[in-house]
Amino acid sequence: MATARVRVRTTVPLVLLLLLGTLLFAGAVSSSRERGEQQREQQGRHEWRGEESEEREQQEELSRRKPYVFGRRSFRRAARSEHGTIRSLRPFHEASQLLRGIRDYRVTVLEASPRAFVLPAHTDAHSIGYVVQGEGVVTTIDNGERRSYRVREGSVFVAPAGAVTYLANTDGRRKLVVAKLLHTISVPGHYQFFFGAGGRNPESIVSSFSRTVQRAAFKTSSDRLQKLFGRQDKGVIVRASEQQVRDLQRHASDGGQQHWPFGESRGPINILDQRPSVANRHGQLYEADARSFRDLAEHDVRVSLVNITAGSMSAPFYNTRSIKIAYVVDGEGHAEIVCPHLAQQQQHGSETQRQRKHEGRRRSREREQESQEKSKEEEQWRRRRQEGSESESEEEEQRYETIRARLTRGTVFVVPVGHPVVEVASRDSNLQIVCFEVQAQRNERVYLAGQDSVLKKLDGAAKELAFQASQREVDEVLRAQQDKGFLQGPDQEERRRREGEEERGRRGRREEVAEMLLRMATEG
Ligand SMILES: [Cu+2]
């Protein structure tokens, strides 16, 4: 437990910075990303790129099998300069139909080099940032007021749509990494960056007006305007001098959520400074929502950090209302997500195959016809499902498919409403995940195992009927697990036995801890 804590503390400032950087970066990146996408589209029209389409097919196949899991390769670069990148996950609803419910949200990650500065911009989306690593200063101009805040690993900050925002990595040696959730409010699932201050790269929105309008608006000659808005060409992320970083820091505060709800307080909070809402030797859960963090109130989003001790796991649970969008901050492990949709799709798939056989081979016709057929099949299938219980149909059993996702730093996974999930840390490292839960209000985490398992709360008779077993038998099983929230992981038991059997010369737990601490210290 001590190890877990230490690890979290060291990673959190970094995380905050990262988040911030990401937030800023994401804005900047987006516009160039969209441009890149357009270019790619145009290229595609001119030349056939076999490799790309193969890769796309592979990705599509993967997203069919694991629609809730996105590896590092699922990100596109939205902006890049010598001093940092902004990467962006493509819109969820484009990745899978099953993710339509979060089509308004996007995930971006900003990585800013030491002393990098992300240019001032506004976006047509709200953004909620979590600093994964490093430290920096975030500034927003909102309602005519400029506010600057210091952020570090664990900081959560909100930049409302339209507010001019900029960010600097204030550390001279470490990267700043920020993971951001963007809430799009204009074009669902798409966001754009708008640079006012700037020059040629990124292009300034100001210099995009006609010359005559610019002259009239600024009451200045075209020459002087061109000089001012035609110079900067180093991209969205540039490098600041030490002096400039000091200047940016001068008016920055730490954010003052400690007065909430008694006074007006704004600015980021550090989630790792909060008391964990669940904590034991197997893990801790830190949370920020509208109650603890005013800025989140209007977004209906909860941000949490889960730290699972090496070899431990979260208790299986589901969310009653929230859709969880998770980003792996550090460590390794895996998640299991139980999904009825995929099982239904599979049944559907085998059903239509059978149907095709009966219908004979009419398959080599034109595409259009094929898709018409498909939708006909789909409709037949749907109708049959609706009739379901009346006609004896073989496919009416409720079944689930388990999606197993390998988790490493940078993996994103989504857990839809009601879907049970478990997260397991590898034996070698703590697993840290930042979660953005949308539709947070009145959401409840319901545990399926552990001391506060919902199954324990069933009526005695309901237990007997549901399990076809005596109440005592049922209770015996349900009471065996005494921990709650975080539990011992699947491998630990076995490992402990093995450790006991093996000789003393072997690496002990204590040495592992020391090694981990050392790694933490040197990684920074
Ligand atoms: Cu599902």
Side-chain angles (χ1 to χ4, degrees), residues 391-429:
S391 64
E392 355 103 70
S393 154
E394 333 99 58
E395 71 214 58
E396 289 313 311
E397 268 171 66
Q398 180 69 60
R399 286 193 187 282
Y400 308 98
E401 178 134 336
T402 307
I403 300 168
R404 190 184 154 102
R406 207 172 97 74
L407 305 182
T408 63
R409 194 183 293 193
T411 306
V412 170
F413 62 99
V414 176
V415 187
V417 176
H419 284 48
V421 61
V422 64
E423 292 133 359
V424 185
S426 79
R427 297 189 225 154
D428 312 310
S429 63

Side-chain angles (χ1 to χ4, degrees), residues 68 98 338-342 403 416 419:
Y68 306 141
L98 294 173
V338 176
C339 171
H341 300 106
L342 286 187
I403 300 168
H419 284 48

